[in-house]
Structures are given as C-alpha cells and as structure tokens.
Amino acid sequence: MVSLTSADVRDAAALLAVLQRQLPGVVTSEGSGDWYLFYDPDDVTVPEKRFPFITLVTGDRYDAASNLDRDALAYRVNLGIGRTAYEELFGKAPRQAAGREIIETGSDYTATDTVMPHPFYAPLHWVCVVNPGPSTIDQLAALVERAYAEADRHYAGDRRPPS
C-alpha cells in the first residue's frame, strides 16, 4: 500500500524517493530533470522497450500545458491508470489522437493540487496532478497503486507464452 505525506510530495525528487522505496520492481530513468518509472521486477526488459507507468515532469521542455517553468519546484506527476480507473474518475476518455496537441477536457492544466486528465495522453487513460498537496495526497497514493497494478498487469501479459 502506498502511503504519502506532505513531505513526500514537496517536490519531484521527494516523490521519486518515496516511490522508489515503496514500489518493488521499479526501475527509473532520468532525462533533462524529468524522471520515468518503469515496472521491470525481473530486470529483463530491454531498456529501449520499457514504457513508463509514472513520469515526473519538472519543466516545459516537452509541453507547456501546465506552465511548470513558473516555479523552480513546480512539477507534474503523470500516471497511466488504465481504462477502468480513468472512467471511474472522468468517464470515457477523449477519442482524439494522443500526444499531438493539448486535449480539451475542460480542465485547467495549470491548476495545482487537482487530479485531472493528462493534457496530451488522456486518450491513453493517463491522469496528472501538478504540485500535489493536501487536497490530492490520498487520491494520488491510490492512483499510484492503480498505475502500479496496471503496469504489473501489462508486464505479466507481456511474458505469457503465446496461445
């Protein structure tokens, strides 16, 4: 069970540290100050074939939807939670292509401490929180568990023998 405190979400590095402690089988990669969390409990997946289930983004290098450059400590945690969990929160996911343009979901992607659809990957059932805090800390812990379970499900499916 994932447990988060206010100190655990004060910045991306603190959240990364607690996730690394609490989620067995997680491999991390860093690039340009952002972190990518992959599920690979057997450490057998070729790094180039890994797909993150959580990312911690600390700036506007790849998208400016959340205006993360506004503050040196601003960050966005992104989580791939799967269709069921996504639909429980927001209903059906948008049907436009993911990753090409900011998706209009009615969310203010610059809002802090609010769970919302991911600005680019909502169609893939990703959600995000900019600067998690007291309003979202418990929900974020639950979403981390959902993303972790979804990653485990995919990992197990990738290793099942062909039928």
Side-chain angles (χ1 to χ4, degrees), residues 81-134:
I81 60 172
R83 179 186 307 265
T84 301
Y86 184 94
E87 289 181 353
E88 287 170 2
L89 289 170
F90 302 111
K92 296 274 184 204
R95 298 195 38 88
Q96 68 195 81
R100 296 202 174 126
E101 59 187 29
I102 295 175
I103 296 171
E104 182 52 51
T105 62
S107 296
D108 173 2
Y109 295 122
T110 65
T112 61
D113 201 17
T114 303
V115 174
M116 62 191 112
H118 189 282
F120 288 88
Y121 298 110
L124 302 177
H125 309 110
W126 278 68
V127 299
C128 65
V129 182
V130 175
N131 294 349

Side-chain angles (χ1 to χ4, degrees), residues 42-115:
D42 302 315
D43 198 26
V44 296
T45 307
V46 176
E48 294 79 27
K49 297 209 180 240
R50 291 178 179 151
F51 190 81
F53 69 100
I54 296 175
T55 65
L56 304 173
V57 180
T58 60
D60 294 337
R61 289 169 293 284
Y62 304 108
D63 78 72
S66 300
N67 189 24
L68 298 176
D69 286 346
R70 64 185 142 175
D71 177 347
L73 294 180
Y75 73 102
R76 186 177 70 216
V77 57
N78 306 302
L79 308 101
I81 60 172
R83 179 186 307 265
T84 301
Y86 184 94
E87 289 181 353
E88 287 170 2
L89 289 170
F90 302 111
K92 296 274 184 204
R95 298 195 38 88
Q96 68 195 81
R100 296 202 174 126
E101 59 187 29
I102 295 175
I103 296 171
E104 182 52 51
T105 62
S107 296
D108 173 2
Y109 295 122
T110 65
T112 61
D113 201 17
T114 303
V115 174

